[in-house]
Amino acid sequence: MQPIYFHDKKEYKLWELDTWKKKRYSIWTNEFPDLLLENCSGGGARFDPGMFYYSLQIWCSDNVDAIERLRIQEGMALIYPLSTMGAHVGDCPNHIVGRNIPFETRGHVAMAGTFGYELDITKISEEERIQIPGQIETYHRYQSLMQRGGLLPLGFLVRPEPYDCWEVA
C-alpha cells in the first residue's frame, strides 16, 4: 500500500488516516450533538457507509449539472435513502460540462435530495431569483415524502430509454 504524506512529511498509512478521521468525527459529534456533518465522496462516489454513524448526509458529486445529477442521484438512490443525498441548484452554464439547464429543472432535480442552492444569487437573472421562494415552498411541502418515501424508478437515463422518471411514494 502506498504511504500518504502531509505537510509534516510524516508517512501515514491509510488506516491511520481513517482512524484519525473517525476519532475527530466522534469528538465533534459528542461535543456538538446538533452539528450536521456532511461527508464528501471525494469526486468519485467514494464514501464509506460506516460514516453515516457520524454524518447523515453525503455530498455525492461536485457536478451539479441537473442532467448529470439525474444519473448520479439515480445510482446513489439505489442504495442510499434520498435524505442522505446532498443536492443543490447550481450555476449555469455548469462549471464542469458547460450546459445550460432551466432554473426550474435544476430545482426539481435538487428536490430529490436535501435541496439547497450552490450559486451566487447576485449573478442570476431576476426571472430565476423570483423562482427561489416558490422552489423552497414546494420543497417544504414535499420534504417529508422526499426524505422518507421510497424511490421507484420508472425510466432510466443510463438505459436505452431517453428519459428519466421517478416516483416517490
Side-chain angles (χ1 to χ4, degrees):
M1 182 180 293
Q2 280 288 87
I4 299 170
Y5 298 92
F6 285 106
H7 61 85
D8 60 5
K9 308 285 192 254
K10 182 180 175 194
E11 180 180 317
Y12 292 90
K13 303 283 189 268
L14 193 55
W15 65 268
E16 289 176 314
L17 294 174
D18 190 55
T19 302
W20 177 88
K21 178 176 65 173
K22 288 180 179 171
K23 191 176 197 177
R24 291 291 116 216
Y25 284 171
S26 185
I27 290 168
W28 294 334
T29 54
N30 286 328
E31 229 174 284
F32 307 100
D34 295 327
L35 177 67
L36 173 64
L37 295 173
E38 179 180 73
N39 272 304
C40 180
S41 69
R46 296 183 305 265
F47 42 83
D48 174 0
M51 292 306 292
F52 282 125
Y53 180 80
Y54 306 102
S55 168
L56 300 177
Q57 190 170 306
I58 295 174
W59 185 245
C60 51
S61 176
D62 287 337
N63 190 347
V64 292
D65 174 74
I67 302 303
E68 296 297 316
R69 286 299 292 213
L70 288 171
R71 291 180 178 96
I72 293 163
Q73 292 174 199
E74 177 182 294
M76 186 170 170
L78 292 173
I79 300 172
Y80 299 100
L82 297 177
S83 62
T84 65
M85 188 182 338
H88 298 161
V89 176
D91 285 321
C92 265
N94 175 267
H95 72 288
I96 295 177
V97 299
R99 188 178 2 235
N100 279 303
I101 305 288
F103 198 77
E104 181 181 23
T105 303
R106 290 182 274 155
H108 289 153
V109 172
M111 286 182 203
T114 58
F115 189 70
Y117 292 91
E118 189 167 331
L119 48 76
D120 183 345
I121 66 166
T122 66
K123 294 183 180 177
I124 63 175
S125 71
E126 183 63 25
E127 179 186 332
E128 292 175 331
R129 199 173 302 119
I130 62 175
Q131 291 180 55
I132 292 175
Q135 287 181 343
I136 293 170
E137 182 184 326
T138 300
Y139 179 71
H140 284 296
R141 186 178 319 124
Y142 297 109
Q143 182 178 7
S144 180
L145 175 65
M146 295 304 290
Q147 299 293 304
R148 294 177 183 84
L151 183 73
L152 307 167
L154 305 175
F156 297 95
L157 278 174
V158 295
R159 299 230 172 92
E161 296 90 357
Y163 62 89
D164 199 41
C165 183
W166 303 348
E167 177 183 3
V168 180

